[in-house]
Amino acid sequence: MCLYPFLYLMAKVQEQILLDTNRMKFLLESLQDIDNNLHRVGGKLYIFRGNPVDVFHFISEQFNLHKICFEQDCEPIWQERDNAVKQFCLENKIECCEKVSHTLWDPHLVQKTNGGVPPLTFQMFLHTVSVIGPPPRPVGDINWSSVEFGTLTQLSLPHNLHMFQQLLMPEDFGIYPEVKNRDRIVHWIGGERQALKHLKERLKVEEDAFREGYYLPNQARPDLLGPPSSQSAALRFGCLSVRRFYWSIQDLFSNIHGSSQVPNHNITTQLIWREFFYTMSVGNKYYAEMERNPICLSIPWKENTKGHLELWEQGKTGYPFVDAVMRQLVQDGWIHHVARNAVACFLTRGVLWISWEAGLKFFLKYLLDADWSVCAGNWMWVSSSAFEQLLDCSHCMCPVNYGRRLDPWGEYIKRYIPELRNYPVEYLYEPWKAPLHVQEQADCIVGQDYPQRIVDHLKASEKNRQYMEDIRNQLMNPPPHCCPSNEKEARQFMRFPDNCSDH
Ligand SMILES: Cc1cc2nc3c(=O)[nH]c(=O)nc-3n(C[C@H](O)[C@H](O)[C@H](O)COP(=O)(O)OP(=O)(O)OC[C@H]3O[C@@H](n4cnc5c(N)ncnc54)[C@H](O)[C@@H]3O)c2cc1C
């Protein structure tokens, strides 16, 4: 077999999704890691920039190209790109091999099994995949001894293509650090080697939890300050196989608690949510929009006339927990699920009543793990656009109490908002309440060194609760939408403890 690993970066850098430096760096580190691994076995990664069909056309002119392999990208926004490559293969009698490996199950098969429509609730999804059966196990490592590499001689490229010869930087793609980007506090490093190292550490955490008698440790005990252990960016960029992650946890559980014939979905629920959102977006190119999206409720969100959206983006709302999260997002590129919930709720139905589409756009640019369908699905959920009584405003997150609960000593806030580092913890979550002498002592005057809060969250959330109730009453026949199956599921998703409401 002769193998030329080509990668068309263009695919991930389409104009509709802007990337910031952190995310691009993660992607480039991942490519560098592939190149390093290939070097060890006598190969090399070639990276071209250009329209994929032009790239393959050029390659097929240079070599006898007889097979193109790629991973299925089930999201509708990539269909046009992939269909063009498939058509090119057909016209040029090139074998085209598309594998499903980014998801546990083939989302198209899930829809087909569910009668040709997306399973609209998580329970329906679980039922459908149980009919299909457990996801395939990951394939083993490649036996490199059977691979024969070809050599690329000097190429003369057409003007519409570019081939990169060396280690790439975000600047090579016109992506520069933004002024507001301070030095990263948490360094996420892209690549399979790093992902496998994290997986080992993560499995240890899972094992400890299983032995102590609980599961979903990341959900049960959210850690905002610990070292990076999330797998989401690695999954997003294909550095870690989702099947390996899934089966490692399932096998670990079976080893500890005795083997079971069927996988226990409770211990890998989050991975199933990922599947659910991917499947929901199949065939719906308006999935990330409100108006044209058939599964999304049209909510009359407020126009951003007061500049609140920009203040939210810059971490200047005057609510320290919200601001710390937003600053971490821009600085590091990753925030914990509970933190995502907090800022998403604050922007939308919780406090500011601004459309989730604006929040999604910002997340897609800055999150390392940004996934079009997963991110949009979560935004619809949190904002109640996947309309559901259980997710109404009585379950909104209070930007004060929620922060106090998750960060009781204020270490997280102080890490990302240095202006507040001398604030006594008593006033840290609502600094506007601190008497002037406390503010002076802490060297941070509210309204001068740290912003005044932009709204009164209690008044705003009360108004929003009323808006939401009115909308619910008007909608006698809500459209089909992704929604929780019951209250327990909603609480698990939002990671609320069983008996808690923040307001
Ligand atoms: C508004 C909002 C936007 C989000 N955008 C994204 C996104 O673009 N990409 C993304 O991967 N996750 C997104 N999430 C889901 C979740 O926050 C992250 O997957 C999670 O924080 C990753 O951390 P972890 O790897 O430690 O998660 P764990 O709890 O360890 O979960 C393991 C894996 O399951 C998947 N997962 C976990 N929670 C969810 C969820 N709610 N929905 C779908 N998949 C999930 C992720 O791939 C994750 O790596 C979003 C959540 C919210 C509330």
Side-chain angles (χ1 to χ4, degrees), residues 218-411:
N218 202 23
Q219 176 173 324
R221 298 181 187 171
D223 178 7
L224 299 186
L225 291 158
S229 71
S230 165
Q231 304 288 357
S232 52
L235 291 173
R236 196 289 157 238
F237 285 110
C239 308
L240 176 70
S241 146
V242 65
R243 289 183 186 157
R244 185 188 277 229
F245 190 25
Y246 175 89
W247 281 110
S248 300
I249 296 178
Q250 291 293 343
D251 291 343
L252 183 69
F253 189 76
S254 297
N255 288 342
I256 293 171
H257 292 293
S259 67
S260 134
Q261 294 300 312
V262 241
N264 179 344
H265 287 315
N266 290 328
I267 59 172
T268 43
T269 307
Q270 299 101 313
L271 287 176
I272 314 291
W273 276 109
R274 180 176 176 273
E275 297 289 309
F276 176 66
F277 290 130
Y278 270 123
T279 306
M280 288 300 297
S281 78
V282 166
N284 179 1
K285 63 178 177 183
Y286 303 121
Y287 185 75
E289 296 178 22
M290 181 174 81
E291 291 296 348
R292 293 187 291 177
N293 182 354
I295 63 161
C296 177
L297 280 185
S298 237
I299 293 178
W301 302 108
K302 264 199 279 199
E303 289 291 321
N304 174 36
T305 46
K306 294 185 181 159
H308 286 171
L309 174 63
E310 290 74 17
L311 294 172
W312 174 82
E313 290 176 350
Q314 292 159 13
K316 290 186 180 166
T317 65
Y319 284 91
F321 185 71
V322 171
D323 291 346
V325 174
M326 294 308 292
R327 293 187 196 187
Q328 185 190 15
L329 171 61
V330 173
Q331 223 165 307
D332 295 346
W334 190 87
I335 47 178
H336 197 282
H337 182 72
V338 289
R340 297 180 199 207
N341 273 333
V343 295
C345 192
F346 185 87
L347 181 73
T348 57
R349 69 191 165 95
V351 178
L352 298 181
W353 199 262
I354 288 177
S355 170
W356 61 272
E357 289 169 289
L360 170 68
K361 198 168 160 209
F362 197 73
F363 267 35
L364 286 179
K365 180 173 176 192
Y366 288 99
L367 270 180
L368 291 177
D369 61 23
D371 246 322
W372 184 79
S373 45
V374 173
C375 204
N378 274 284
W379 271 100
M380 280 190 268
W381 247 85
V382 177
S383 63
S384 279
S385 300
F387 192 74
E388 173 55 47
Q389 199 175 4
L390 294 165
L391 279 175
D392 70 14
C393 287
S394 61
H395 285 314
C396 277
M397 278 144 199
C398 168
V400 173
N401 295 343
Y402 197 64
R404 192 173 272 136
R405 183 145 57 82
L406 289 167
D407 180 31
W409 310 112
E411 292 165 86

Side-chain angles (χ1 to χ4, degrees), residues 95-257:
E95 190 187 338
C96 177
C97 179
E98 183 181 19
K99 293 279 185 192
V100 177
S101 52
H102 190 61
T103 47
L104 292 168
W105 292 276
D106 179 354
H108 296 97
L109 177 64
V110 178
Q111 282 209 5
K112 194 167 156 219
T113 311
N114 190 50
V117 288
L120 288 174
T121 67
F122 191 62
Q123 285 307 319
M124 270 164 81
F125 181 87
L126 286 179
H127 174 74
T128 310
V129 294
S130 73
V131 172
I132 297 173
R137 282 187 170 268
V139 293
D141 289 340
I142 298 172
N143 174 7
W144 289 105
S145 62
S146 65
V147 176
E148 189 193 315
F149 288 95
T151 317
L152 277 183
T153 45
Q154 204 56 40
L155 298 174
S156 91
L157 288 150
H159 71 279
N160 57 345
L161 292 188
H162 185 72
M163 186 172 91
F164 294 97
Q165 301 281 4
Q166 60 203 12
L167 179 69
L168 302 174
M169 302 299 287
E171 291 78 12
D172 294 319
F173 297 86
I175 299 173
Y176 297 92
E178 292 176 22
V179 182
K180 58 188 166 188
N181 263 8
R182 292 201 221 136
D183 283 347
R184 289 185 288 176
I185 293 179
V186 180
H187 284 250
W188 294 88
I189 300 168
E192 186 184 23
R193 254 183 320 162
Q194 193 67 25
L196 292 178
K197 187 172 156 254
H198 274 167
L199 177 63
K200 245 192 212 161
E201 291 159 4
R202 173 61 188 262
L203 289 176
K204 181 77 191 84
V205 176
E206 297 278 333
E207 183 178 347
D208 291 347
F210 292 159
R211 291 197 189 282
E212 279 181 48
Y214 67 100
Y215 48 78
L216 301 177
N218 202 23
Q219 176 173 324
R221 298 181 187 171
D223 178 7
L224 299 186
L225 291 158
S229 71
S230 165
Q231 304 288 357
S232 52
L235 291 173
R236 196 289 157 238
F237 285 110
C239 308
L240 176 70
S241 146
V242 65
R243 289 183 186 157
R244 185 188 277 229
F245 190 25
Y246 175 89
W247 281 110
S248 300
I249 296 178
Q250 291 293 343
D251 291 343
L252 183 69
F253 189 76
S254 297
N255 288 342
I256 293 171
H257 292 293

Side-chain angles (χ1 to χ4, degrees), residues 24-33 184 188-191:
M24 193 62 181
K25 209 159 181 300
F26 191 92
L27 169 62
L28 297 175
E29 285 162 358
S30 307
L31 296 178
Q32 184 63 47
D33 193 54
R184 289 185 288 176
W188 294 88
I189 300 168

